[in-house]
Amino acid sequence: MADMLVNEKTVVLYKNDVAVITGSCTNGKYPIKYRTQPATSIKPAVYGSQNVRMKDFVVLHEGPVSSLEAVLDFADKHACSEEDLYDENSENEFLSQIKECYELLESDEATATAPLSFVELSSLVRGKLVADESWAIFLSLKNTLYFSQNLKEQLDGKLVFVPRSRTEIKELVKKAHEKGMEFQLREAFLERLKKNALLPEDSKYMVDVESLALGTTDKSRTMHDAHIKETPERAHKLLLDTGIWSITRNPFPLRWGLSMKSAHETLAAPPQEDRSSVDSVAWAIDNEWSTDPDDAVAFDGTYLWVHIADPASTVMPDSSIDRSARARGSTLYIPEGAARMLCEESLEDYALGLTEESKALSFRILLDENCNITECSVFKTLVHVKRLTYQKADELKESPELKPLFDIARRNVIRRNKAGAVQIQMPEVHITVDSETKKVSIEPEIHPESSEMIREMMLLAGEGAAKFAFKNHIPFPFVSQDAPTLPDSIPEGLAGQFRLRRCMHRRSVGVTPSMHSGLGLGMYSQVTSPLRRYSDLIAHEQLRAFLDGRNLIDKDTMLMRISEGDAGAQAAHKAERKTDMHWTLVYLLQNAEWRGEAVCVDTGGKQPQFFIPSLGLETYFTPLTDVHLNEAVAVKAANINIPEQTVDFVPV
């Protein structure tokens, strides 16, 4: 910049905008006036002043300039814009002069590709460079395609431009044309979107809408441009309205950050290790469609045995499989299928009763006459397991093999009830979806007596494991629940079950044992589902470490991992509830003539509360006449809104 003067009223380029020197250099710095905000149709430009070093600006013209405002005003009126460049009918004077200059330079081989300073090029374009016009000519040169700015030279204090080749110009024009066409195509798409009249090829523009509906982003450019509120529910509705999604598309697992696929990392085969053989035959009793039984029970005349699948024989604490299971928290069960916490292909190695002998982690429990646990031991075992369906087990409940188990279960219910257990029995439904037709079926859940027996066996195993861990000072995931505050009177029937449910507190999981009042147990832990619940898996890891004499997970680490697993399990639970509601609404849309009964369970609010047993749904509505608790009202469904997950039930 040594060959150019810097005086008051010199025009300079500062931070890619025009500025004017307003005084003499002091302490190596020049005072400048610059624009902080450009003018709009409503507000004038805003200006600021600052002292800057010479290295921070580049001289456009030595001056003297009339004023910064004059420079900006001239540029606004005369500078060539990008729109002028691509407009074949543009009459911009600067564009015409720059094009003539380019053609003149191109005709001379010596100047066709030679760099030119801004001053030299401006003089060729305009004949004479005037200070007030310097910013306008600079913008015009930048906005046309005939010359490119050499930024490397600019860093050396010079503004340098180089003529582009015809090939470069042609390619840039092509890209600009494509960009313009894309803009026009998108504008046409947005018009179709507003009219819900999309074409098949428009799906490419809806990717960001799908991302918002699935919860993988919280923004959608498409919805913003179409002036539609950017929420997952609105995105879902838009995808339904435009036919991109069908009503059977379920976004909720992904919206809760959950994978729809099972864990992929394969578990190693169970190791060859010392295991105790258990003589008594154990019974794996489950639904007839179960393919991976994970528990089996037996009574040998003295001890109750509860045998549990043993994935902790290979899943080590804080291994990659353990961390993956912790993040999931539990297996996700939805009508479309199960996304398992552990690799599905590995489950056959750990399920009970699929081979002649099964490897298990077993709880041997000694009970007194009142079904109190007097002793619980834990073993690594080899067990002979036979499988039964619930229906078959009910048929054999008086057999010598199964009768003791049913008797123990009945006694345990009596014991727990005496200790304050709260037995809540609500109608439940089982939702299935045909994988091909997407036809939804909703059937009532049936709980055979044998399923209730198995539940009591699992509770005894959980109680026994908690007592074993506490006795041996093992940091453990204990489950507790504060005692409910029950009202003096509880209605009969379904209304009473709802009243009881409202009294219950949330369960807690921690490393300190405490009363589980809902179950009527002094201490309790869940240990019977390590294939599908992380809290059970980490409990097994601790028990196995204790049996093997290895280091235990300390209390603080245990508490942290329990919390992480519980967070994942809660997300899965919420996604399951949302998914069940989704498919219930789809079922109602698929069965437009549906009619059902709604049972009144509460009359204390602004509207009576009802429960629809055939759907497993709670709802509120105003009946045609006054209703009493447990009174049934015939209803039909109306105003079904899948994105918002709402439905109105109307008395008929």
Side-chain angles (χ1 to χ4, degrees), residues 49-106:
S49 59
Q50 192 170 339
N51 295 325
V52 297
R53 299 184 184 279
M54 184 177 287
K55 66 181 182 64
D56 295 327
F57 60 80
V58 179
V59 173
L60 280 177
H61 196 285
E62 295 174 0
V65 70
S66 301
S67 65
L68 178 57
E69 290 81 356
V71 170
L72 291 168
D73 183 61
F74 186 87
D76 287 341
K77 294 176 179 177
H78 300 286
C80 172
S81 66
E82 290 187 54
E83 288 75 14
D84 289 322
L85 176 62
Y86 303 115
D87 181 2
E88 295 180 356
N89 299 316
S90 173
E91 297 180 356
N92 183 274
E93 179 185 5
F94 279 19
L95 175 59
S96 176
Q97 292 174 342
I98 290 171
K99 184 177 180 181
E100 289 177 7
C101 177
Y102 172 81
E103 291 173 346
L104 177 64
L105 293 170
E106 185 189 33

Side-chain angles (χ1 to χ4, degrees), residues 466-487:
K467 289 177 177 290
F468 180 86
F470 182 68
K471 177 183 176 182
N472 292 287
H473 309 288
I474 301 172
F476 215 60
F478 296 100
V479 185
S480 61
Q481 186 179 42
D482 291 340
T485 303
L486 299 178

Side-chain angles (χ1 to χ4, degrees), residues 150-164:
N150 189 324
L151 295 177
K152 183 179 182 301
E153 289 294 331
Q154 179 178 317
L155 294 176
D156 294 332
K158 300 177 182 177
L159 284 171
V160 177
F161 287 84
V162 180
R164 283 194 171 102

Side-chain angles (χ1 to χ4, degrees), residues 125-181:
V125 170
R126 297 290 289 171
K128 180 182 179 182
L129 182 59
V130 179
D132 286 9
E133 298 180 5
S134 57
W135 176 238
I137 188 63
F138 176 78
L139 287 179
S140 297
L141 287 169
K142 281 198 68 174
N143 288 337
T144 62
L145 299 178
Y146 298 104
F147 299 90
S148 63
Q149 190 177 354
N150 189 324
L151 295 177
K152 183 179 182 301
E153 289 294 331
Q154 179 178 317
L155 294 176
D156 294 332
K158 300 177 182 177
L159 284 171
V160 177
F161 287 84
V162 180
R164 283 194 171 102
S165 68
R166 287 284 183 180
T167 302
E168 284 182 274
I169 294 172
K170 185 177 181 181
E171 186 63 29
L172 288 171
V173 170
K174 178 183 176 183
K175 288 181 179 179
H177 178 72
E178 290 173 350
K179 183 178 179 181
M181 287 296 296

Side-chain angles (χ1 to χ4, degrees), residues 315-547:
V315 179
M316 294 294 105
D318 212 34
S319 62
S320 57
I321 294 177
D322 176 82
R323 292 192 298 272
S324 171
R326 193 188 314 159
R328 289 175 180 262
S330 67
T331 290
L332 174 70
Y333 291 103
I334 55 178
E336 298 97 308
R340 299 190 182 276
M341 184 182 79
L342 297 176
C343 180
E344 192 157 7
E345 288 73 21
S346 300
L347 299 186
E348 189 172 323
D349 288 337
Y350 295 90
L352 305 183
L354 301 187
T355 57
E356 187 174 345
E357 279 191 318
S358 299
K359 297 179 175 67
L361 191 69
S362 301
F363 300 86
R364 190 188 70 181
I365 302 169
L366 185 63
L367 302 167
D368 67 14
E369 65 275 8
N370 296 318
C371 221
N372 294 299
I373 296 175
T374 60
E375 175 191 320
C376 179
S377 301
V378 184
F379 301 94
K380 295 180 288 183
T381 60
L382 286 173
V383 190
H384 182 53
V385 177
K386 291 186 177 181
R387 300 181 64 191
L388 291 175
T389 64
Y390 286 134
Q391 180 181 4
K392 189 65 177 177
D394 276 7
E395 294 172 3
L396 297 174
K397 66 182 179 181
E398 296 299 324
S399 66
E401 296 86 0
L402 297 187
K403 186 177 186 303
L405 296 170
F406 281 88
D407 290 342
I408 290 170
R410 294 186 193 103
R411 286 159 48 209
N412 199 47
V413 171
I414 293 171
R415 174 181 73 101
R416 294 194 301 106
N417 286 344
K418 286 182 178 179
V422 181
Q423 306 285 356
I424 299 176
Q425 296 181 334
M426 299 285 296
E428 297 177 335
V429 297
H430 181 62
I431 303 173
T432 56
V433 179
D434 185 281
S435 59
E436 294 183 2
T437 65
K438 300 300 181 182
K439 182 73 174 177
V440 183
S441 299
I442 301 179
E443 301 293 338
E445 283 272 18
I446 298 173
H447 296 284
E449 188 178 350
S450 55
S451 72
E452 299 301 318
M453 179 270 286
I454 291 296
R455 178 175 184 268
E456 294 302 318
M457 300 299 106
M458 300 304 106
L459 291 177
L460 284 165
E463 183 184 7
K467 289 177 177 290
F468 180 86
F470 182 68
K471 177 183 176 182
N472 292 287
H473 309 288
I474 301 172
F476 215 60
F478 296 100
V479 185
S480 61
Q481 186 179 42
D482 291 340
T485 303
L486 299 178
D488 294 333
S489 62
I490 296 175
E492 297 292 327
L494 199 53
Q497 298 302 300
F498 264 79
R499 186 75 57 85
L500 283 174
R501 194 184 69 174
R502 282 201 301 270
C503 297
M504 303 305 293
H505 297 285
R506 291 176 62 89
R507 62 150 207 170
S508 298
V509 183
V511 293
T512 302
S514 186
M515 181 77 181
H516 195 302
S517 296
L519 296 176
L521 299 176
M523 64 175 67
Y524 176 64
S525 180
Q526 291 181 308
V527 294
T528 57
S529 297
L531 296 178
R532 62 183 181 88
R533 278 196 303 250
Y534 181 73
S535 62
D536 299 43
L537 177 62
I538 198 172
H540 276 233
E541 291 173 356
Q542 284 291 78
L543 292 172
R544 277 193 135 267
F546 177 79
L547 296 177

